[in-house]
Amino acid sequence: MTSGLVAARDAARALGDRRAVPDLRWIGKLTGATPAAIDRVLGELAGAIATERRIREAHRAGGRSFYAQFRAPFDVYAMVRLLRPTEIVETGVSSGVSSAAFLSALRRNRGGRLHSIDLPTRQATEKLGRRESPVAIPPGRDSGWAVPAELRAGWDLRLGPSERLLPVLVRELPEVSIFLHDSHHTPQHLTFELETVRPRLRPGSIVLADNTVWTGEAFDRFAASLGAPIVRRRRSDLLGLRVPIPD
Ligand SMILES: C[S@@+](CC[C@H](N)C(=O)[O-])C[C@H]1O[C@@H](n2cnc3c(N)ncnc32)[C@H](O)[C@@H]1O
């Protein structure tokens, strides 16, 4: 096993999520990076073990050791390190597993910004009820509650429905280099978010959508309209595409 993959496995263990072991093929197809380049940036995760442990401890302190969190934090870490994007937009923050990964890579890049939108789902009482959503935020905490303090500088976190906030945000940005949809998973909502960011996508921009098992053909139609092949992360329903770069 390569040193990058060893570091990423250790980081996944520290985070407490086996699914977080990166998919090298997925990263390679979406970034065009060589296996050696991917291995090099994943190797940096050896220095992130303490941070991942703290995110896990924050989850435990918040009453859960695991929830419906984003499964590919180290894949997006690698993408940001490899492509050095200027503007990242994500919808759906909850405790902030994906946000922490983006922020950590941007910090290492010493450039670029993360803009996150979350309509928090609030947990009713101290203990998560059986009928409550696993992404609900525990009492006394806010969206992004597990993101370590040292990563938060410069984070543009906006609270409210993406139906209202995303069009406003997108108008402020010169481009969207990476977009991650992880908010309300319906075909209509995913289509709304994709069409909202479309005018700011550039050749080489990356678009990711999680939980596409609930969003019908929305992502497939969007990819077809761009002429971009869909790249699936392992056998999961986390899909990505890269906006084609003309020859
Ligand atoms: C699956 S969680 C996000 C997980 C997160 N990306 C992570 O890495 O752990 C989905 C989040 O989207 C929020 N959400 C639901 N509907 C939304 C909407 N219309 N606009 C913005 N956020 C929404 C939920 O309340 C929840 O906080």
Side-chain angles (χ1 to χ4, degrees):
M1 201 185 300
T2 63
S3 56
L5 202 49
V6 170
R9 276 175 192 260
D10 289 345
R13 201 170 302 120
L15 180 64
D17 188 350
R18 279 187 309 164
R19 304 170 312 163
V21 175
D23 178 351
L24 307 185
R25 178 191 155 274
W26 197 57
I27 300 168
K29 289 251 177 204
L30 288 174
T31 61
T34 62
I38 297 169
D39 194 61
R40 181 175 45 74
V41 295
L42 288 178
E44 297 165 2
L45 293 169
I49 304 298
T51 306
E52 299 309 320
R53 224 173 258 139
R54 281 172 50 219
I55 294 172
R56 187 182 196 186
E57 278 158 16
H59 281 144
R60 281 199 181 123
R64 65 206 58 171
S65 52
F66 179 81
Y67 81 112
Q69 63 206 29
F70 184 63
R71 72 194 86 181
F74 307 129
D75 306 56
V76 299
Y77 174 90
M79 289 176 198
V80 173
R81 289 289 292 126
L82 291 161
L83 296 177
R84 297 185 166 266
T86 53
E87 310 286 354
I88 301 172
V89 174
E90 66 166 351
T91 59
V93 174
S94 193
S95 79
V97 171
S98 51
S99 311
F102 282 131
L103 289 166
S104 158
L106 288 174
R107 193 173 183 224
R108 190 128 187 168
N109 283 355
R110 295 171 181 265
R113 287 197 80 190
L114 173 65
H115 311 270
S116 306
I117 293 175
D118 194 50
L119 175 64
T121 306
R122 303 251 172 222
Q123 191 174 308
T125 60
E126 246 348 284
K127 193 169 173 353
L128 184 73
R130 268 201 291 169
R131 286 166 185 248
E132 285 184 291
S133 163
V135 302
I137 296 175
R141 290 173 169 81
D142 288 308
S143 300
W145 52 276
V147 177
E150 71 273 14
L151 295 179
R152 291 169 173 265
W155 184 16
D156 176 21
L157 171 60
R158 306 181 185 200
L159 300 187
S162 72
E163 293 88 329
R164 183 164 58 78
L165 298 186
L166 189 60
V168 176
L169 168 63
V170 163
R171 275 198 296 273
E172 293 171 17
L173 301 178
E175 71 167 76
V176 174
S177 332
I178 296 184
F179 175 69
L180 167 61
H181 157 88
D182 196 13
S183 60
H184 184 47
H185 303 300
T186 64
Q188 296 74 15
H189 191 73
L190 176 56
T191 298
F192 158 76
E193 290 193 350
L194 295 173
E195 292 304 330
T196 303
V197 298
R198 185 198 286 268
R200 292 292 186 270
L201 296 175
R202 300 286 176 259
S205 290
I206 288 186
V207 180
L208 308 172
D210 205 0
N211 298 111
T212 57
V213 70
W214 294 319
T215 54
E217 302 299 307
F219 196 81
D220 306 61
R221 275 200 292 267
F222 184 71
S225 74
L226 291 170
I230 293 177
V231 193
R232 180 180 296 277
R233 187 180 187 263
R234 297 203 184 96
R235 292 185 183 171
S236 75
D237 61 350
L238 171 55
L239 304 180
L241 64 80
R242 189 161 195 208
V243 178
I245 302 172
D247 298 327

